[in-house]
Amino acid sequence: TAGGTGLLSRPIEQKMRQQFTFNPRWNMLSIPLAVDNDSKESVFPDAVSEAFSFDGQYIPQTTLENGKGYWLKFSDTAVVSIDGYAKNKIVIDVKEGWNMIGSISSNLPVYEIEEYPEGIIQSNFYGYESGYQIANAIQPSKAYWVKVSQNGQLVLDGEQFLLNDSAHTLPPDSILEPDLYNKIRITDNSGLTQTLYFSNQKESDDLLKKYFMPPLPPDGSFDVRFATGSMFECASAQQSKQIPITVSTLHYPVTIAWERHQQIAQARLLVNEDSFDVTQDGKTVIQTEENKIVLVLEMGNDPTVPKEFALEQNYPNPFNPSTVIHYQLKAKSYVLLKVYNLLGEEVSTPVNEVQDAGYKSVTFTASSLPSGIYFYKLTTSEGFADVKRMALIR
């Protein structure tokens, strides 16, 4: 019969095996095949952590789904063989904000990803190797962050791409063109590295949104970013702007190198008490960890002294269990920084001393406090006072 002929002509789907190598630390990964047993223990038996998905916060999972991304930790380099059926097309539901998505069975450039509704993608796609890196292609077994403006769907369809002659020609690793932007590269003693970019040419808000980095990786992971949460910052030559850099889980000594790819009038990097001119190529090495290690990039005419008192929003926010609070003093002052719960009860006093004018930061750790909303208030002897809200989420 006609129906019988159709059944006979349909190709028989066969199992396949794909082999992948994962780093001896936290990895962002996914399952690129349809497997018979989707438990974490079956697919990744050598993992030494729970698998964490993301839905506004990290959530432990015992089973893994195609199209979803996960954090998973290995104690040693792991070579994993996955047996299953090819998954070359998948529809992924995404929610407003950041999403961790998985991969399909074949490589797929990010420009081939379909978005519904159109235009909801707000960020670059980010993978994680030694740190967060911009990805131009979705690769099997990897997972990626992407930010969307509203609930919708992403379609990863590798079937047509596989038919093209260009199927093995993937885009370059980075969307940022290195000849256009200046770089700061921070590399620790274990070889983990992160590159940040800066410019003294004011860029559009839409471009800046593209380079806002995903949520922090799990505790104990290497991470470097501007305190604004971005990997790219800019300030015009007429603008005085200090941009702190936050770092976590570095193995010392740490090398900080900078490269100039664009003409820039004035830029300095402050490392603890040392100041470096970054208008030309150079580097420095930090031998040991300091209690107050603060990296600050300055661009502009004379940004060493702020022109006003200010209290900034803490970062990260929400946080668990630590966050950094930045503030600025335009004159030497007695400074009092207190943290209160929703009942108005004082729970901590991170700062209570006289401080010189300048750009300041303090780390607030809430290990003994319950989840909830807290307020932090900065007052100075010069009459300045401001209050901001932050959220602790366990």
Side-chain angles (χ1 to χ4, degrees):
T1 65
T5 303
L7 289 172
L8 291 174
S9 63
R10 183 180 302 165
I12 299 175
E13 190 174 17
Q14 295 183 339
K15 270 192 173 181
M16 61 186 297
R17 170 172 289 186
Q18 292 184 325
Q19 191 174 81
F20 308 100
T21 301
F22 299 100
N23 295 316
R25 51 183 177 269
W26 285 103
N27 294 257
M28 276 181 63
L29 51 74
S30 62
I31 48 173
L33 302 173
V35 297
D36 293 330
N37 186 341
D38 59 5
S39 71
K40 186 266 291 185
E41 299 295 339
S42 174
V43 183
F44 301 107
D46 296 329
V48 294
S49 73
E50 294 181 284
F52 290 93
S53 64
F54 184 81
D55 188 1
Q57 61 183 344
Y58 292 127
I59 303 171
Q61 304 289 350
T62 57
T63 59
L64 310 178
E65 298 179 33
N66 292 113
K68 285 192 174 182
Y70 301 91
W71 284 106
L72 200 61
K73 188 177 184 180
F74 298 91
S75 59
D76 297 301
T77 299
V79 179
V80 179
S81 295
I82 301 178
D83 297 319
Y85 300 95
K87 200 80 173 174
N88 283 321
K89 182 176 181 179
I90 194 167
V91 179
I92 303 172
D93 292 324
V94 290
K95 294 183 178 181
E96 179 182 354
W98 285 104
N99 296 261
M100 281 179 68
I101 68 168
S103 60
I104 54 178
S105 304
S106 55
N107 292 315
L108 183 71
V110 296
Y111 60 74
E112 293 282 348
I113 296 176
E114 302 169 37
E115 50 186 320
Y116 300 97
E118 186 175 350
I120 62 172
I121 295 177
Q122 289 187 307
S123 69
N124 292 309
F125 286 81
Y126 288 92
Y128 187 88
E129 292 297 333
S130 61
Y132 281 127
Q133 308 292 335
I134 297 170
N136 270 3
I138 305 299
Q139 300 181 36
S141 85
K142 304 290 187 182
Y144 301 88
W145 286 104
V146 62
K147 190 176 186 181
V148 297
S149 59
Q150 65 181 82
N151 294 354
Q153 292 181 324
L154 301 181
V155 179
L156 278 60
D157 187 353
E159 294 174 356
Q160 288 299 317
F161 183 63
L162 286 171
L163 297 176
N164 297 335
D165 293 336
S166 61
H168 301 293
T169 305
L170 295 176
D173 291 337
S174 177
I175 294 175
L176 282 168
E177 297 184 34
D179 291 338
L180 294 182
Y181 299 106
N182 304 299
K183 299 179 182 180
I184 296 175
R185 182 176 291 109
I186 298 178
T187 306
D188 77 357
N189 193 44
S190 62
L192 302 180
T193 187
Q194 180 72 58
T195 301
L196 303 177
Y197 303 86
F198 66 99
S199 170
N200 65 348
Q201 297 178 2
K202 184 63 177 175
E203 302 288 356
S204 69
D205 289 341
D206 287 341
L207 183 142
L208 294 176
K209 288 179 183 177
K210 287 283 186 182
Y211 300 107
F212 196 85
M213 295 177 71
L216 291 168
D219 289 345
S221 299
F222 172 88
D223 187 82
V224 175
R225 60 184 65 199
F226 287 113
T228 56
S230 180
M231 67 162 47
F232 176 63
E233 287 292 340
C234 61
S236 67
Q238 292 74 39
Q239 181 183 23
S240 294
K241 186 176 182 182
Q242 287 210 359
I243 312 165
I245 297 173
T246 62
V247 298
S248 25
T249 317
L250 301 186
H251 296 91
Y252 290 78
V254 170
T255 300
I256 305 176
W258 47 92
E259 301 174 13
R260 192 193 75 168
H261 293 273
Q262 141 192 102
Q263 190 67 32
I264 187 165
Q266 294 188 55
R268 290 189 296 149
L269 187 66
L270 303 182
V271 182
N272 296 324
E273 302 301 324
D274 297 321
S275 177
F276 300 92
D277 180 0
V278 294
T279 60
Q280 302 293 333
D281 294 357
K283 71 176 182 179
T284 186
V285 177
I286 307 175
Q287 295 293 340
T288 57
E289 183 173 6
E290 302 283 346
N291 290 331
K292 291 185 178 181
I293 174 171
V294 180
L295 308 180
V296 182
L297 176 69
E298 297 182 319
M299 292 184 288
N301 293 325
D302 185 16
T304 55
V305 177
K307 297 180 179 178
E308 60 184 3
F309 290 96
L311 176 65
E312 299 178 16
Q313 186 64 51
N314 65 299
Y315 183 84
N317 187 42
F319 67 98
N320 176 28
S322 298
T323 187
V324 179
I325 299 171
H326 295 278
Y327 56 97
Q328 57 190 51
L329 309 173
K330 73 174 185 179
K332 185 175 182 179
S333 306
Y334 175 77
V335 180
L336 191 61
L337 178 65
K338 292 190 174 185
V339 179
Y340 301 88
N341 61 21
L342 273 176
L343 298 177
E345 299 169 333
E346 180 184 332
V347 297
S348 179
T349 305
V351 180
N352 183 8
E353 62 183 13
V354 175
Q355 294 185 336
D356 292 328
Y359 294 85
K360 310 293 182 180
S361 67
V362 62
T363 299
F364 171 62
T365 301
S367 301
S368 61
L369 296 177
S371 297
I373 301 299
Y374 293 87
F375 297 89
Y376 57 99
K377 180 178 181 180
L378 180 74
T379 57
T380 75
S381 56
E382 302 298 309
F384 173 82
D386 194 10
V387 179
K388 292 192 182 297
R389 189 173 83 162
M390 59 184 172
L392 171 63
I393 297 180
R394 298 293 187 187

